[in-house]
Amino acid sequence: MTGTTGRVALVTGSSSGIGAATARLLAARGMRMVVNYLHSAASAEQVVAEIEAAGGEAIAVQADVREPEAVRSLIEQARKAWGGGIDVLVHNALTPYVVKSFQDITWEELGGKVDNEMRAAFVVTKAVLPTMLEQGWGRIVYLSAGPGRRPRAGMIALGTDKAALSQFGRYLAQELGPHGITVNIVEPGPVGDTRIAADVLDAELTQRQVAATPMGRLAQASDVAQAVAFYASEDNAFMTGTTAAVNGGMAMY
């Protein structure tokens, strides 16, 4: 293999948005893609079709990545397709969350969100690790979010979960570095062309977010994918335990 050509990459939650943009970009750079989805089969198959039309290789695999047996089945399908395990993990899958103040949120809404997200990260990482350890090479990238570092009104569920995920990633970076495995976090600010943005950002809030961004616009999914692709590549041989804030400079304020 030259560079990352031929490496097998799993992007969880890659039927749309950041996940789909990342899958398309990694495939364009020569990786074999496992396009994971939970409910959106048609969208996932469309991503696969786009990758194949551009000359890449991809399969769509349904799996709830919180469930160990589902993830084992996913990895087995990748093995059947290409003869090996997962070399690159991009954990992007996001479960729904409420936008509420602490005074209004219930423990089920807060604790349930943290449990779902951390369970998924734990399960999918455990499953892909044996191949990476055996070959002494691997790339793991977790998708965090701005509220995990900088509190925003109503975002206590998402922010608490993503703060936990980022620290989880740093602990893994410390443990897995000696084995040739890098672990990094990509932390997008508001991303304009995603379903979540449509659900959370109204026109007034979007205008305020743009005004607070030196680059004068919100991120696009493709902006985030570029950062993920660097972390997933052979070029990233020495950066681990780091966080790339993809927010157009918003984090400076």
Side-chain angles (χ1 to χ4, degrees), residues 6-245:
R7 299 279 191 192
V8 177
L10 164 62
V11 182
T12 66
S14 49
S15 61
S16 64
I18 292 169
T22 299
R24 287 190 290 263
L25 181 58
L26 295 184
R29 296 188 178 184
M31 295 191 196
R32 295 163 165 167
M33 295 307 309
V34 180
V35 176
N36 162 249
Y37 67 96
L38 183 56
H39 300 299
S40 305
S43 297
E45 292 292 354
Q46 178 62 33
V47 174
V48 169
E50 291 167 358
I51 289 170
E52 291 178 338
E57 297 180 67
I59 57 173
V61 182
Q62 192 278 339
D64 184 337
V65 293
R66 296 168 295 186
E67 300 298 332
E69 194 55 48
V71 175
R72 279 193 288 270
S73 175
L74 179 154
I75 291 173
E76 185 56 32
Q77 291 182 63
R79 196 177 299 277
K80 286 180 181 177
W82 296 303
I86 302 298
D87 304 301
V88 174
L89 168 65
V90 179
H91 181 50
N92 167 73
L94 182 68
T95 58
Y97 60 92
V98 298
V99 179
K100 289 184 178 180
S101 70
F102 175 73
Q103 294 178 71
D104 293 332
I105 201 168
T106 67
W107 172 247
E108 288 71 25
E109 291 167 332
L110 176 57
K113 170 64 174 170
V114 174
D115 180 75
N116 279 325
E117 295 281 346
M118 292 308 302
R119 184 188 301 270
F122 180 92
V123 167
V124 75
T125 305
K126 279 275 193 180
V128 303
L129 208 49
T131 293
M132 296 183 185
L133 289 169
E134 182 180 356
Q135 66 193 13
W137 192 97
R139 298 287 183 266
I140 299 173
V141 185
Y142 296 116
L143 269 294
S144 187
R149 180 196 302 261
R150 183 183 181 204
R152 281 187 20 220
M155 292 294 187
I156 189 169
L158 178 68
T160 301
D161 158 59
K162 291 303 187 182
L165 180 64
S166 295
Q167 188 70 342
F168 175 77
R170 287 187 281 270
Y171 270 100
L172 289 182
Q174 182 184 52
E175 180 176 334
L176 300 177
H179 302 281
I181 301 166
T182 65
V183 185
N184 292 284
I185 296 99
V186 172
E187 182 186 275
V191 179
D193 56 340
T194 64
R195 174 186 55 78
I196 293 169
D199 292 343
V200 174
L201 297 177
D202 59 25
E204 182 183 354
L205 181 54
T206 297
Q207 190 174 23
R208 290 205 305 270
Q209 298 279 14
V210 169
T213 305
M215 298 300 291
R217 64 174 176 85
L218 298 184
Q220 299 295 302
S222 58
D223 296 317
V224 184
Q226 291 286 345
V228 174
F230 169 72
Y231 276 145
S233 72
E234 295 276 2
D235 291 336
N236 176 39
F238 202 62
M239 291 178 67
T240 195
T242 69
T243 299

